[in-house]
Amino acid sequence: MKPIIAANWKMNFTIDESLNLIDEIIKKSPSNEAELIFFPNYISLRSVQQKLFDSAYKVGSQNVHHDESGAFTGEVSASMLSVLNLDYVIIGHSERRQYFYESDDQVNQKIKRALSVNIKPVVCIGETIDQRKSGKTIEVLTRQLNKAFEEIESFNANMILVAYEPVWAIGTGVSADKNQVLEAHALIKQTLASIFSENIPILYGGSVNASNAFELINLNNVDGFLIGGASLKSESFCQIIENVLVENN
Ligand code: 13P
C-alpha cells in the first residue's frame, strides 16, 4: 500500500493561495508513489477539486454536518459535498470536538452520512494531555472507536481511514514519541480488527515534520500522516513526502 500523506490546511488560505500552493507542490513533488490528499477550506474546495480533477491527487472536506438538510445555518451536508466528487472527509477532528463540542454520537452520524454518498471518512481520534496523564488513553481511544463505528456495516471497511491525533501533539511542535505511537496504533489496529475484518489504514497526526517523518513512517501500523502546520508550505510538505518515500523505497 502506498503511504498516505494528507494535508489538513484548516482555516487557512484564500482560493488563490490554495491553488498556488497546489502548483508549488505539484512542481516539487510529482511523485505518485504516495497517496496525497488535500483538505482545503470549504471556499477553496471546488477550485482545488477542479484543478486536481483526473489527477492522482485526492481532495477532501474538513468537515460535514451530521444531518441530511435543514435549519443549520452555516453548515454543509454530505449530499452537497458529494456533488463535488470529493474522495475524503475529515470527521471528528479534535478541534471540532473541542471548539464545536462535537460528540462521539455526532461523529458516528457524520460517518454514516459520508458513507451514504460514497465519500471516505478520515476518522480522527486522540486523547487530551489530562486523559493521558491520568492513564485513560486506552479507554478514550477504545471508546472513540467503538462509538464512531457503531452500527456501521463491515462492508464499508474499505472506505474508512482512521487518524490517531493525540490532542497534546497537535500544533505544539512536540509529536508523540515512537513508543507512544507504537502503543496507540497497535491498540487501534486491534480494536478496528474486532469491529471490521478488513485492514483499515491508520494515519498519525500531531506535529509531523520533515525531521520526524522518517522515523514515524517506519513504525508498525503507521500507514501515513495527517499533517497540519507543516502542510501549509510547499517546502516542508514536500520534504516530508521525500523523507517518507526514502523510507519506503
Ligand atoms: P499539526 O501537524 O499542526 O500538529 O496538526 C495536526 C492536525 O491537526 C492534522 O489534522
Side-chain angles (χ1 to χ4, degrees):
M1 191 180 72
K2 289 181 187 180
I4 299 163
I5 306 181
N8 177 8
W9 289 346
K10 306 190 180 181
M11 197 174 71
N12 290 289
F13 303 142
T14 60
I15 297 175
D16 283 351
E17 287 166 346
S18 302
L19 296 176
N20 287 341
L21 181 53
I22 294 277
D23 272 336
E24 285 179 28
I25 291 168
I26 291 176
K27 258 188 239 154
K28 289 193 175 105
S29 267
S31 169
N32 59 4
E33 288 172 59
E35 165 126 328
L36 298 190
I37 314 171
F38 297 99
F39 291 97
N41 57 62
Y42 280 136
I43 298 290
S44 303
L45 206 44
R46 187 174 180 84
S47 306
V48 170
Q49 201 281 338
Q50 282 177 338
K51 186 175 183 75
L52 296 177
F53 185 70
D54 247 3
S55 76
Y57 302 96
K58 308 279 194 246
V59 181
S61 163
Q62 296 174 16
N63 187 27
V64 63
H65 194 260
H66 57 272
D67 241 308
E68 196 173 350
S69 64
F72 301 103
T73 302
E75 292 292 332
V76 172
S77 73
S79 53
M80 292 169 190
L81 292 175
S82 74
V83 176
L84 296 182
N85 285 317
L86 299 179
D87 303 286
Y88 293 96
V89 57
I90 295 175
I91 292 179
H93 192 281
S94 68
E95 287 150 13
R96 303 279 333 160
R97 295 181 191 254
Q98 192 178 353
Y99 305 131
F100 301 94
Y101 311 108
E102 282 185 10
S103 64
D104 286 331
D105 195 45
Q106 287 170 344
V107 168
N108 173 254
Q109 291 173 55
K110 285 173 182 230
I111 296 170
K112 290 175 180 161
R113 292 278 170 223
L115 290 171
S116 75
V117 294
N118 276 320
I119 299 180
K120 296 177 178 165
V122 179
V123 181
C124 298
I125 59 166
E127 79 287 0
T128 63
I129 193 64
D130 287 347
Q131 290 165 334
R132 175 163 283 273
K133 281 186 176 158
S134 55
K136 295 210 170 103
T137 301
I138 291 177
E139 179 189 323
V140 169
L141 298 182
T142 310
R143 188 204 69 226
Q144 287 177 336
L145 284 173
N146 283 319
K147 282 297 295 176
F149 296 120
E150 208 167 79
E151 293 169 357
I152 290 179
E153 305 226 36
S154 50
F155 68 81
N156 291 300
N158 64 354
M159 291 285 287
I160 294 166
L161 267 69
V162 168
Y164 171 57
E165 299 206 308
V167 181
W168 48 271
I170 295 178
T172 58
V174 183
S175 84
D177 69 26
K178 195 174 144 182
N179 289 331
Q180 289 166 328
V181 175
L182 279 172
E183 189 188 29
H185 280 235
L187 170 81
I188 294 165
K189 189 96 191 165
Q190 194 186 8
T191 310
L192 288 172
S194 71
I195 304 173
F196 303 106
S197 49
E198 287 195 46
N199 198 22
I200 291 177
I202 308 170
L203 312 182
Y204 169 77
S207 295
V208 174
N209 57 41
S211 318
N212 59 25
F214 184 85
E215 176 177 63
L216 291 169
I217 197 63
N218 200 33
L219 298 177
N220 235 356
N221 300 321
V222 175
D223 300 302
F225 298 134
L226 183 54
I227 305 169
S231 73
L232 301 178
K233 291 219 162 73
S234 61
E235 293 78 14
S236 43
F237 189 61
C238 293
Q239 191 62 57
I240 292 173
I241 298 169
E242 214 170 282
N243 294 354
V244 163
L245 293 178
V246 164
E247 192 63 358
N248 271 267
N249 282 333

